[in-house]
Amino acid sequence: MRLALTPGVALRLLEERGRPSARLVAPGRLRSDLLAALRAEVRAGRLARAEAFAQMDHLRALAPRLLTDRVSMRRAWDIADALGCDMAAAEYIAVAALQGDALVVADDAFPAAGTIVAVRGYDALLA
């Protein structure tokens, strides 16, 4: 099974040092989205810089397949048009549609995704 990560889910997975049994996929922007989120946590004093780097090391160890291909970008554009969502959300949904069996989301972060792909919660990663 291949599961598509979203930023909120990836952050939780890194914080908990989770080891999912499924193969992971995400758009290439995941790395930058996570760096920005972790830096914000460090700047706010909620996370030590060393811990932020340790979490990014864990991401590298998990080795998700990060997609940046033309097909994914075109599909994201179509999804953004169809759902009226921003391109960032559309990229995550597109990767799930093209390469994953489901999009793993935290809370209601991607409310319209269920019209295009199967949507699962965090626990799907550890099942």
Side-chain angles (χ1 to χ4, degrees), residues 94-105:
V95 167
L98 293 168
Q99 295 286 325
D101 295 309
L103 180 68
V104 184
V105 300

Side-chain angles (χ1 to χ4, degrees), residues 17-127:
R17 301 299 196 275
R19 295 275 178 199
S21 56
R23 291 179 293 168
L24 305 174
V25 296
R29 70 174 298 129
L30 177 69
R31 189 175 307 125
S32 295
D33 289 347
L34 293 177
L35 276 172
L38 290 169
R39 184 170 184 268
E41 290 293 302
V42 170
R43 289 180 56 97
R46 293 185 292 265
L47 186 68
R49 182 179 172 158
E51 175 58 19
F53 287 125
Q55 288 186 24
M56 288 305 293
D57 286 342
H58 186 62
L59 176 68
R60 282 185 281 284
L62 293 175
R65 182 170 181 210
L66 301 177
L67 301 172
T68 59
D69 60 284
R70 273 189 227 152
V71 173
S72 296
M73 287 187 251
R74 287 184 180 150
R75 181 77 166 122
W77 191 295
D78 292 342
I79 289 170
D81 286 346
L83 298 181
C85 63
D86 62 39
M87 284 302 295
E91 284 188 65
Y92 286 96
I93 297 167
V95 167
L98 293 168
Q99 295 286 325
D101 295 309
L103 180 68
V104 184
V105 300
D107 305 319
D108 296 325
F110 292 78
T115 63
I116 295 182
V117 296
V119 176
R120 302 285 182 266
Y122 180 81
D123 292 340
L125 287 172
L126 306 176

